[in-house]
Amino acid sequence: MSGELSPIDKAKFVAAKRSVDFVEDGMRVGLGTGSTAAWMVRCLGELVREDGLRIKGVPTSTRTAQLAREVGIEVISLDEAKWLDLTIDGADEFDSSLNLIKGGGGALLQEKIVATASDQMIVIADIGKQVDALGAFPLPIEVIPFGWQTTQALVEETLISMDVLGRNSTLRMNGQRPFVTDEGNYILDLHLNRIGDARQLAMVLNQMPGVVENGLFIDICDCVIVGFGDGRVEVRDINAGTVEESRLDFLEDDNLFSDLSD
């Protein structure tokens, strides 16, 4: 497999592979959405099938739920689980304080609900997702379809008083139609370039009528596992203030992700 993966895919793989070391028998685990998180789900499925790991997974999207079932993970709802031991998910950006931008895959609402209902949130990402300041990646906000253009205008007007460099927004599309989330909502992508005060922006956005949730994850992530293209992995624990480095080898016959699209 190592000969087939690009450096960025190797980085995603080793981060995902390292993250499942935190999963223990009997845990209730939140399963993230996105390409890196999907690789993590495959790794967990391998442990379930080959090592007898017993877990219950709470997916953050319909596509993650489908993948989890395919690889043999027992899937339950958050209402059934009530509380989770651990959530493992990806991120579109993270800063030195482990604040995040999420929602590039369109599942930010379920992702935030699941993450905040967990004792611990671990983020897995390649080193390219690390930034000095959040905002280069467009910030997604989930809005209800009713009056979405009015909501968009209100958001752009409000951004004038925020510490951001850009104020344009676009409706996320799926072909010729608006992208629709699992909850039946739309997503506006805010092109801010740089966010000066992410905490303030998150609070202001969520006070607007029509806005369901935003993709800023503030003080939610406890640990980030960063993968590098050469197989190195860093585990950065914000609570313990530690950084642990290791290296994972690639197996040529490992076909865990051979049929997994990005």
Side-chain angles (χ1 to χ4, degrees), residues 35 38-39 257-262:
S35 60
W39 290 11
F257 316 121
S258 59
D259 62 344
L260 185 61
S261 60
D262 196 1

Side-chain angles (χ1 to χ4, degrees), residues 114-135:
V114 169
T116 54
S118 305
D119 287 336
Q120 185 180 25
M121 182 193 188
I122 294 177
V123 162
I124 49 178
D126 62 86
I127 187 59
K129 302 297 175 59
Q130 179 177 335
V131 296
D132 292 330
L134 299 175

